Amino acid sequence: MKKLINAGKFEILSLSSNALEVMEKAGRTCYKSQSNITNQSAKIFIEKIRKLGHESVLEHSSMTVRFYNISRGFTHEIVRHRLCAFSQESTRYVGYHKGDLEIIVPPHKINTPEIKDIDTVLTQIEECYKKLKKIGWKAEDIRQILPIGIRTEIVMTTNFREWRHIFKLRTSKAAHWEIKKVLTDLLNWCKLNIPVVFDDIQPE
Ligand SMILES: Cc1cc2nc3c(=O)[nH]c(=O)nc-3n(C[C@H](O)[C@H](O)[C@H](O)COP(=O)(O)OP(=O)(O)OC[C@H]3O[C@@H](n4cnc5c(N)ncnc54)[C@H](O)[C@@H]3O)c2cc1C
């Protein structure tokens, strides 16, 4: 059994280089102002649109992200966002019998004495999983004993408007520590790389 601490990461799989230009061309259709397009106009136009709250224009560009070294608890939460496409590591087709059972643990609890009790339970689960696999159980049956903290990965695609919505919810004070950490890291990346779309959102 292996404990993962603050291991959650993201990888940008797709973000089109002309994302801003696409949104500008779409948005300017509303005003028949395409003739105002220049090499520098996209950023100014998108910022204006965003400030006006005309956010449907932000739906014309999207981003695909892989989240990895995250728990099933994280993915249970992220898949509640309905305007996204998801592909997640399967617990039916991927077995956990070959290596260590990897568990995301709360970093702020790692130095408490109770962590030993958690280790004991998780080691028992790992031993039981491997034993059942050895005697021929299918992964889809053994998965019933897996904990919500088990490591997984998920790929997610959605448009910028929905990313904004997700960032607001998942980097707020009320968000769970795991999703909050990884989504805050992603938001900071977005603020750096696509500031006109994301720089008004402040993680709490
Ligand atoms: C801190 C926190 C705690 C939570 N706790 C719980 C909990 O205890 N139990 C629980 O079940 N869930 C919980 N959730 C999940 C929450 O209820 C939502 O399911 C989740 O955040 C997705 O949000 P959403 O519906 O706004 O967004 P999305 O599904 O991402 O949709 C985006 C927006 O599109 C619009 N939209 C989407 N679908 C529809 C529709 N069918 N009809 C009308 N408008 C639509 C809405 O404006 C929505 O805000 C929690 C979420 C957070 C952030």
Side-chain angles (χ1 to χ4, degrees):
M1 190 272 298
K2 191 170 158 193
K3 294 198 289 286
L4 302 181
I5 303 151
N6 279 331
K9 295 269 182 306
F10 67 87
E11 175 192 3
I12 309 293
L13 296 190
S14 169
L15 171 64
S16 51
S17 54
N18 65 345
L20 297 186
E21 286 72 23
V22 170
M23 291 187 288
E24 182 186 22
K25 280 181 185 165
R28 284 193 184 278
T29 306
C30 306
Y31 313 106
K32 265 245 169 265
S33 65
Q34 291 97 324
S35 57
N36 292 344
I37 294 177
T38 66
N39 286 343
Q40 275 83 43
S41 60
K43 281 184 186 162
I44 298 162
F45 180 79
I46 302 300
E47 186 160 30
K48 207 157 92 185
I49 284 287
R50 197 197 74 202
K51 285 183 177 163
L52 280 171
H54 192 172
E55 290 206 16
S56 61
V57 173
L58 306 182
E59 294 172 22
H60 290 289
S61 288
S62 62
M63 178 170 75
T64 301
V65 179
R66 177 193 303 281
F67 294 108
Y68 60 101
N69 287 346
I70 44 140
S71 72
R72 284 235 153 213
F74 177 119
T75 58
H76 285 334
E77 294 186 358
I78 207 86
V79 300
R80 292 297 298 276
H81 294 286
R82 292 160 285 180
L83 312 179
C84 314
F86 296 101
S87 299
Q88 179 170 13
E89 177 180 344
S90 168
T91 46
R92 296 185 64 202
Y93 308 121
V94 179
Y96 291 86
H97 54 290
K98 286 183 183 148
D100 291 326
L101 201 65
E102 294 173 297
I103 309 291
I104 315 303
V105 291
H108 47 283
K109 296 293 183 198
I110 199 71
N111 292 320
T112 61
E114 296 75 27
I115 206 80
K116 283 206 300 294
D117 301 331
I118 292 178
D119 286 354
T120 307
V121 172
L122 293 174
T123 303
Q124 281 174 353
I125 290 174
E126 182 180 58
E127 285 169 3
C128 181
Y129 190 103
K130 288 182 176 174
K131 184 179 127 193
L132 296 176
K133 189 75 185 129
K134 211 168 174 181
I135 62 171
W137 280 43
K138 285 183 179 170
E140 68 177 28
D141 295 324
I142 323 175
R143 78 171 184 183
Q144 303 302 112
I145 64 165
L146 291 174
I148 198 166
I150 189 145
R151 184 210 54 73
T152 186
E153 66 183 80
I154 194 164
V155 171
M156 172 172 169
T157 303
T158 194
N159 63 59
F160 286 165
R161 184 187 201 176
E162 179 70 350
W163 277 117
R164 284 175 55 80
H165 177 70
I166 292 169
F167 285 137
K168 284 178 195 169
L169 290 180
R170 302 302 178 179
T171 66
S172 79
K173 214 168 162 183
H176 183 262
W177 53 265
E178 187 188 4
I179 200 164
K180 183 174 176 172
K181 162 82 174 61
V182 181
L183 270 287
T184 300
D185 290 347
L186 178 59
L187 171 58
N188 287 334
W189 186 92
C190 290
K191 282 157 82 85
L192 205 65
N193 290 279
I194 335 161
V196 283
V197 180
F198 295 103
D199 69 2
D200 60 320
I201 306 173
Q202 296 305 333
E204 283 180 310

